[in-house]
Amino acid sequence: MAIIEVDHLLKRYGPHTAVNGVSFAVERGEIFGILGPNGAGKSTTVECIEGLRTPDAGTIRVCGIDPQGGDRELQHVLGAQLQESELPDKLTVGEAMALYSSFYRDPVDWRELISALRLTDKVDTQFRHLSGGQQQRLSIALAVVGNPRVAVLDELTTGLDPQARRDTWDLIETIRDRGVTILLVTHFMEEAERLCDRIALIDSGRLVALDTPAGLIERSGGRQRIRFRPSAPLDGATLTALPEVASVERSGDQVLVTGTGDLLLAVTTALARNQIVPADLRVDQPSLDDAFVALTGRPIHD
Ligand code: ADP
């Protein structure tokens, strides 16, 4: 059974339709990404799932519960990340964890949780004195302390430096490995590609595509590119004969090969067979950025 089911969700703000007939289902145990540019309707969608906004049409179920139905069970199955302004500045990490775990019927051991989140030495530190990365980790801890079945994490690495961002990604995987399904809202392609099992690509309130990261890239017809300098003269036909190869171009002493599938293996095997070593070999994989451009006709970041 799907943990979250969204069916033809519609949400308007006055004359503006922010979410326009979006449908998807999140399966148990997956990291499901909602990806799209700023203003696409991502937060509105998850706020409807969290019961914070009332849809104008469509249905939503979270573990079978209608978020609009006032069922208090929702707070036990769905853990939502706080907006930082919701936490009093002077509350310490330990106080916040103890307070939040008291809200739940079956919380996890919060001391163990903050140890996993490397916040143990900050237990007596006030929220306002935490670094951006530490505040993010605390807000993730608060989202999962209630031992929810699904955690909603919205733009969780915005404003973090690259190392803190990678640490946060590792953390999300750890939380998923504990059995929590993750609904992740992001506008970072790299984050979605690295973390998500499946991605709903949203643009201007509509679902553009729903697939695995690899499936989205494949669907967009994104081609891999390989560039190298052959150590000996190379007959282009050696490579164009390969089914994986779409084109072979030369630029000075460089050869540029585009194609699909297991392109790198096919090309390097063919070169080895001809005793040619590819020097300065570079591989450009197509990315979700390429997929977004192919699916919407423009880049995700203007
Ligand atoms: P995203 O999370 O993808 O950036 P949002 O769901 O926040 O997008 O916003 C979708 C659209 O709805 C945007 O055009 C935004 O300006 C508008 N919007 C969001 N919240 C409100 C609101 N409370 N009142 C009016 N318009 C809103």
Side-chain angles (χ1 to χ4, degrees):
M1 191 190 87
I3 290 248
I4 299 174
E5 289 175 287
V6 174
D7 192 23
H8 292 92
L9 178 64
L10 186 92
K11 176 67 187 173
R12 291 193 193 97
Y13 297 113
H16 179 66
T17 304
V19 180
N20 197 353
V22 165
S23 302
F24 58 84
V26 179
E27 303 296 329
R28 183 187 308 267
E30 69 180 343
I31 300 180
F32 187 96
I34 299 187
L35 176 71
N38 285 329
K42 304 181 298 294
S43 294
T44 302
T45 301
V46 297
E47 284 162 8
C48 289
I49 292 170
E50 291 166 338
L52 300 175
R53 293 197 187 277
T54 309
D56 291 301
T59 54
I60 299 177
R61 293 290 178 272
V62 181
C63 298
I65 300 167
D66 176 359
Q68 286 302 311
D71 187 339
R72 291 181 56 82
E73 189 62 19
L74 185 69
Q75 99 171 57
H76 295 286
V77 300
L78 187 134
Q81 206 186 359
L82 294 178
Q83 304 302 311
E84 65 185 66
S85 54
E86 288 177 55
L87 217 52
D89 273 355
K90 289 188 178 160
L91 210 61
T92 66
V93 168
E95 287 165 352
M97 294 305 297
L99 177 66
Y100 275 74
S101 47
S102 75
F103 296 159
Y104 298 101
R105 197 168 48 212
D106 179 28
V108 298
D109 178 343
W110 66 260
R111 291 179 190 280
E112 190 211 310
L113 185 60
I114 63 165
S115 159
L117 293 175
R118 292 184 290 105
L119 283 172
T120 301
D121 60 340
K122 300 289 171 201
V123 68
D124 294 322
T125 303
Q126 292 180 352
F127 180 73
R128 61 179 169 168
H129 291 138
L130 298 175
S131 71
Q134 289 160 350
Q135 290 186 354
Q136 280 290 21
R137 296 211 297 277
L138 176 61
S139 86
I140 295 167
L142 295 173
V144 298
V145 71
N147 200 11
R149 291 173 64 193
V150 51
V152 179
L153 305 174
D154 194 344
E155 298 290 0
L156 84 164
T157 65
T158 299
L160 297 190
D161 64 52
Q163 183 57 48
R165 183 170 293 160
R166 274 191 289 275
D167 287 349
T168 307
W169 293 345
D170 289 344
L171 179 68
I172 300 305
E173 286 175 331
T174 310
I175 290 167
R176 188 264 297 275
D177 293 345
R178 287 163 172 248
V180 181
T181 303
I182 311 269
L183 180 62
L184 182 77
V185 177
T186 185
H187 68 277
F188 286 120
M189 294 291 189
E190 194 192 346
E191 178 164 293
E193 201 167 336
R194 152 78 205 276
L195 272 184
C196 296
D197 298 303
R198 287 192 306 145
I199 295 170
L201 206 58
I202 307 233
D203 188 34
S204 305
R206 291 183 186 275
L207 183 73
V208 177
L210 197 164
D211 207 333
T212 60
L216 285 176
I217 291 166
E218 189 74 41
R219 251 210 262 179
S220 71
R223 292 218 163 126
Q224 304 169 53
R225 287 176 288 265
I226 301 177
R227 210 185 287 272
F228 59 91
R229 270 188 308 108
S231 62
L234 168 68
D235 177 0
T238 310
L239 300 181
T240 47
L242 300 169
E244 291 86 355
V245 171
S247 72
V248 179
E249 287 169 41
R250 287 171 198 270
S251 162
D253 60 353
Q254 291 235 329
V255 175
L256 175 66
V257 184
T258 59
T260 51
D262 237 337
L263 182 67
L264 181 62
L265 181 66
V267 168
T268 50
T269 307
L271 292 175
R273 222 183 289 121
N274 289 278
Q275 276 99 46
I276 296 172
V277 177
D280 301 331
L281 178 73
R282 272 193 43 201
V283 182
D284 296 324
Q285 295 289 350
S287 66
L288 275 179
D289 282 294
D290 298 322
F292 191 83
V293 172
L295 289 162
T296 67
R298 58 192 171 76
I300 193 166
H301 302 291
D302 305 319

